[in-house]
Amino acid sequence: MPMDSQKEHIQVSVRSRPLLSETSSLQLISKDPPVLLLPERSQTYQFDNVFLEDADQQKVYNDAVRPLVNLVKLGYNCTVFAYGQTGTGKTYTMGSGSQFQTGIIPRALDQLLNEEYLNNCKNEIDVRISFLEIYNEKVFDLLKSDCKSPLPVSGFTVPGLSTKNVKTAPQASEWLQLGNKNRHTGETRQNSNSSRSHAVFTIYISTKTSSEEVFGKLNLVDLAGSESVKKTGSKGGTFQEGININKGLLCIGQVISALSARSSYIPYRESTITSILKESLNIDNYISLIACVSADPEDITETLQTLDFAQRTKRIRCNPEVVAKFKKDNPERLIQGRTPMSLIQGRTPMKRWKTPLKTPISRSLGMTLLPLINERDSEISHAEVSLSIDLSAKKTAITDVQQMLSPMVKKHMVRTEALILERIANLESVIQNTLRRPTRRSSRLMSAESLKEENTPKITWGKIQDTVTKMVYSEVAQLMQKPARAASSPIDDNHNTFPNKILFRDESLDSPAIENPLHDLAQKDFSFKIPLKPAPLVKTQNDISRNSVRRSSRLALKHQANQSVDLMKSDWWFDSVITSSKRKKTEEDTLTEVMKSTPIFNNDNGHKTNTGTRRKSMRLKAQKS
Ligand SMILES: Nc1ncnc2c1ncn2[C@@H]1O[C@H](COP(=O)(O)OP(=O)(O)OP(=O)(O)O)[C@@H](O)[C@H]1O
């Protein structure tokens, strides 16, 4: 598309770098005019050129730059700048990288310093070049051997910047390569050889004819890539670089917006890059923007930002003029062309009073005040724009810091979350164990119960009672045969402990069953001979005393057998004792014997049970003596 026919417009091209993924987020839906569609956002953009990945360097140069170079020869200021996300091919397109890939700069040098053209040209042509970079808001001269020290910026110019006179294209290319080597580059996640600076390569041409001298200038700007700190993974110095890069790009965006809105104030001073480009980035120049994008779906956000920027740039209406055409014999005198806008920038347009001034005094006062008011007005609008730019820059910086911080915070949150989950899991297991414990305990108890049942001898209480009764019977029988043993009778000693032992055995299930007295009892043969009931005694004179002895003995036995022995049986036992004793001994002896065999118990009234018997025995003894 010939540039000359599009004088009123900035030329905007989009170049998409080769895809890294299989799918593309961009679609060219019309070739003439080129219309790009973002299917995911259902958004279309129309530009002057769209170069998809199959477009080579030659095509990009021919369509987007060649017409401008021809205009430079005629004395116009032209600027080509590559803008876009990091890693999308700006340096590749401009040819300002360390790898020489025949990008725009060498091709432009070739076109201007073409031997054939130079030989055929009747005019005297002088070509000079300069190459600077803006790194961290400082300007470095890339063509100087001592390029490490920054150059001072004075207003919109860099007084110390060196220019090199070049006669041939290869000579110019050597300087270009030297400058490329001097550029600040760094490695980011998105580009192993990322340019961390804005680079401005300028070609100055002066063409002298017989009557005049014309100056043209071509700025070839390789802007640093807009970057998301999160994606590039910038840290430390690289992070600061990223902030400055984004600040510069933001200011360029502000300048573009102000230009497209035809604002009276263009914020060039807000960053070094806009200050340096002030002479190039204005409506007096031809501008060609090459917006480099990535069609990878994961870069859609950045691609959208770049396309929006490109669309805003396209709204700028340019009115380029030949800036400087001087009479050869009087180089100071401008002989052609309108006073360019760039020369009157800074001059505030006059503003008229809305209400016409009527009285001469007020008119004269108004005339005096008007310039002051206008000046103040301009200052205020200037301050407003500066503030808004400052605010946007700070917002970007904050977003960058947030983006950098958010992975750290996220990491911390993930770790904390994992810790909390772990603790909750621990707590849960503790709670479950605690809840399960009684269940386990009860199951243990149940199994213990069943064990207890297994180990418990199968003796019913009825049987136990029978056994005890039998024991008592047996004891009684023994007492009847050997009354002297009654004092050490197990019934006497153990009548309380025996059941206790049974109880103890029931509770302690760990002891072997053989130790269980009930077991022993179960094994024992309790069969014994119950002595025949002796013949009833012939009542004697001592019947009364016998009866009292019988009462005492009955009470004693009652205690001994723990009330389980039939008291009638004790009567019978007493009778048998008395009878057997009587056969051999006197009544007195019998009484003594009974007393011996019956321990003294407290009866229910708290009196000794056999005291009467004792007293009687004593009386009998006394009578006898
Ligand atoms: N159209 C293309 N064809 C082939 N390779 C390309 C193209 N565009 C970019 N590349 C390759 O992609 C890589 C990154 O490109 P380049 O360095 O030019 O990106 P950039 O936009 O300048 O990045 P930064 O802003 O970080 O400097 C380079 O290896 C380059 O060769």
Side-chain angles (χ1 to χ4, degrees):
M1 190 184 300
M3 197 70 165
D4 307 67
S5 62
Q6 298 285 322
K7 273 188 184 175
E8 296 299 299
H9 297 100
I10 271 193
Q11 178 148 307
V12 178
S13 312
V14 170
R15 187 177 198 187
S16 168
R17 58 155 293 154
L19 272 173
L20 296 176
S21 63
E22 283 177 5
T23 50
S24 170
S25 60
L26 294 175
Q27 228 177 294
L28 187 65
I29 53 168
S30 160
K31 277 195 174 173
D32 197 14
V35 178
L36 261 184
L37 168 73
L38 262 87
E40 202 180 304
R41 307 284 166 107
S42 311
Q43 210 164 333
T44 53
Y45 295 90
Q46 190 188 328
F47 298 108
D48 297 303
N49 301 298
V50 171
F51 305 113
L52 295 182
E53 53 187 282
D54 54 343
D56 61 8
Q57 299 277 63
Q58 178 75 41
K59 180 162 176 58
V60 174
Y61 182 78
N62 286 345
D63 290 0
V65 186
R66 189 175 286 278
L68 287 183
V69 175
N70 289 330
L71 290 167
V72 172
K73 286 180 192 168
L74 298 174
Y76 288 94
N77 268 1
C78 301
T79 300
V80 178
F81 62 103
Y83 176 95
Q85 180 199 353
T86 180
T88 47
K90 297 179 297 294
T91 307
Y92 176 85
T93 302
M94 294 307 292
S96 53
S98 50
Q99 295 154 350
F100 203 73
Q101 286 153 338
T102 330
I104 288 169
I105 300 174
R107 282 173 195 273
L109 287 170
D110 227 23
Q111 191 183 340
L112 285 170
L113 297 167
N114 182 280
E115 257 184 73
E116 203 185 322
Y117 164 72
L118 291 175
N119 291 339
N120 294 338
C121 186
K122 293 174 192 145
N123 303 325
E124 198 184 320
I125 293 175
D126 183 50
V127 180
R128 304 184 71 81
I129 54 166
S130 70
F131 198 6
L132 65 84
E133 79 167 345
I134 299 159
Y135 173 72
N136 272 346
E137 290 295 279
K138 290 192 182 99
V139 179
F140 296 87
D141 189 341
L142 295 175
L143 299 183
K144 263 191 184 167
S145 49
D146 173 31
C147 63
K148 300 289 172 216
S149 32
L151 297 176
V153 180
S154 163
F156 302 112
T157 55
V158 187
L161 185 69
S162 65
T163 56
K164 305 289 175 193
N165 192 272
V166 284
K167 300 281 180 210
T168 61
Q171 192 190 3
S173 293
E174 272 178 32
W175 283 116
L176 173 66
Q177 284 179 46
L178 174 77
N180 285 336
K181 273 187 203 149
N182 288 336
R183 275 194 80 175
H184 283 88
T185 55
E187 191 176 338
T188 66
R189 243 185 254 160
Q190 291 190 302
N191 189 356
S192 58
N193 192 29
S194 174
S195 321
R196 311 304 293 159
S197 61
H198 308 291
V200 183
F201 189 92
T202 310
I203 307 171
Y204 312 84
I205 293 190
S206 102
T207 312
K208 289 178 188 164
T209 59
S210 52
S211 59
E212 59 189 22
E213 189 175 2
V214 179
F215 294 95
K217 192 162 78 171
L218 175 65
N219 287 302
L220 300 160
V221 186
D222 174 17
L223 292 172
S226 58
E227 61 181 46
S228 143
V229 175
K230 196 175 161 189
K231 276 195 175 177
T232 52
S234 313
K235 286 175 200 159
T238 322
F239 172 66
Q240 190 52 46
E241 282 169 9
I243 288 184
N244 284 323
I245 289 169
N246 288 341
K247 185 192 166 193
L249 293 172
L250 181 86
C251 292
I252 290 176
Q254 299 283 348
V255 167
I256 297 289
S257 299
L259 285 173
S260 59
R262 293 175 201 180
S263 166
S264 59
Y265 172 73
I266 315 294
Y268 288 114
R269 288 177 190 273
E270 303 309 326
S271 72
T272 313
I273 182 74
T274 45
S275 301
I276 302 284
L277 290 179
K278 180 181 175 285
E279 290 298 313
S280 318
L281 210 60
N282 63 59
I283 59 168
D284 299 326
N285 294 329
Y286 283 100
I287 297 170
S288 175
L289 165 71
I290 301 172
C292 297
V293 296
S294 154
D296 288 325
E298 65 168 43
D299 294 323
I300 184 98
T301 313
E302 289 82 1
T303 301
L304 259 175
Q305 279 171 5
T306 306
L307 293 178
D308 286 342
F309 174 86
Q311 205 162 51
R312 247 184 303 143
T313 309
K314 196 156 167 44
R315 275 190 232 123
I316 299 173
R317 298 276 147 179
C318 288
N319 190 15
E321 290 286 340
V322 172
V323 175
K325 209 169 185 178
F326 300 94
K327 219 176 176 179
K328 210 176 173 187
D329 54 353
N330 185 3
E332 299 300 313
R333 192 169 155 222
L334 189 73
I335 58 161
Q336 199 189 326
R338 227 174 26 188
T339 311
M341 282 300 285
S342 58
L343 295 183
I344 58 165
Q345 229 124 56
R347 221 188 283 166
T348 314
M350 288 279 266
K351 284 188 182 170
R352 290 185 186 281
W353 290 103
K354 281 180 186 160
T355 323
L357 299 166
K358 283 173 187 160
T359 61
I361 299 168
S362 62
R363 199 178 294 135
S364 67
L365 187 67
M367 291 306 285
T368 326
L369 287 176
L370 195 61
L372 288 172
I373 292 166
N374 280 339
E375 205 177 309
R376 194 84 191 109
D377 213 13
S378 158
E379 274 173 21
I380 289 168
S381 73
H382 182 280
E384 258 175 15
V385 176
S386 314
L387 275 174
S388 77
I389 288 171
D390 202 33
L391 193 70
S392 319
K394 281 189 174 126
K395 272 184 190 164
T396 318
I398 289 168
T399 316
D400 282 339
V401 171
Q402 277 174 344
Q403 278 178 339
M404 193 196 67
L405 276 179
S406 62
M408 285 158 64
V409 173
K410 240 186 230 169
K411 208 173 157 188
H412 181 72
M413 277 172 68
V414 167
R415 228 185 280 154
T416 315
E417 204 179 5
L419 211 72
I420 289 169
L421 285 177
E422 197 184 306
R423 286 193 182 158
I424 287 175
N426 283 350
L427 266 176
E428 268 175 6
S429 70
V430 167
I431 290 167
Q432 275 178 7
N433 282 347
T434 316
L435 290 174
R436 227 180 274 143
R437 222 172 268 154
T439 323
R440 245 193 251 157
R441 205 179 191 176
S442 54
S443 70
R444 237 187 279 146
L445 277 173
M446 275 167 69
S447 60
E449 282 290 329
S450 61
L451 197 68
K452 189 169 81 177
E453 233 172 63
E454 271 173 33
N455 289 347
T456 309
K458 303 276 184 248
I459 302 172
T460 58
W461 278 110
K463 200 168 178 183
I464 290 169
Q465 277 177 340
D466 280 357
T467 310
V468 171
T469 313
K470 276 181 192 172
M471 282 175 73
V472 171
Y473 275 41
S474 161
E475 202 60 35
V476 168
Q478 283 175 36
L479 278 170
M480 283 170 67
Q481 285 159 11
K482 296 176 190 172
R485 272 195 62 204
S488 60
S489 162
I491 295 170
D492 183 23
D493 289 338
N494 299 328
H495 77 279
N496 281 325
T497 54
F498 190 67
N500 280 348
K501 265 189 189 172
I502 293 169
L503 192 66
F504 173 77
R505 290 299 310 153
D506 281 349
E507 279 181 347
S508 169
L509 296 162
D510 296 333
S511 311
I514 197 73
E515 286 178 15
N516 192 331
L518 289 181
H519 177 85
D520 289 344
L521 283 173
Q523 305 299 316
K524 271 186 185 170
D525 182 12
F526 283 102
S527 56
F528 59 92
K529 275 186 178 176
I530 298 175
L532 290 170
K533 191 174 177 179
L537 281 171
V538 180
K539 289 216 176 183
T540 64
Q541 291 172 348
N542 296 321
D543 273 353
I544 301 163
S545 61
R546 197 191 299 132
N547 281 341
S548 69
V549 169
R550 185 187 287 142
R551 245 194 335 270
S552 303
S553 301
R554 197 188 295 146
L555 268 170
L557 273 169
K558 192 179 172 185
H559 282 280
Q560 281 174 346
N562 200 18
Q563 296 180 337
S564 62
V565 180
D566 188 347
L567 288 178
M568 286 308 292
K569 297 269 170 31
S570 68
D571 267 353
W572 162 75
W573 165 76
F574 181 76
D575 283 345
S576 59
V577 169
I578 297 291
T579 314
S580 59
S581 309
K582 216 177 173 182
R583 277 187 210 132
K584 304 169 206 162
K585 301 170 191 174
T586 61
E587 189 189 357
E588 184 193 341
D589 292 336
T590 307
L591 278 171
T592 314
E593 205 147 330
V594 167
M595 268 180 56
K596 272 185 195 168
S597 66
T598 48
I600 300 167
F601 287 103
N602 283 331
N603 62 17
D604 295 340
N605 302 323
H607 297 120
K608 300 276 188 245
T609 51
N610 60 351
T611 43
T613 317
R614 249 172 222 281
R615 247 185 269 123
K616 198 165 192 174
S617 159
M618 302 265 285
R619 202 174 56 237
L620 279 169
K621 265 188 184 171
Q623 278 173 8
K624 207 175 175 185
S625 60

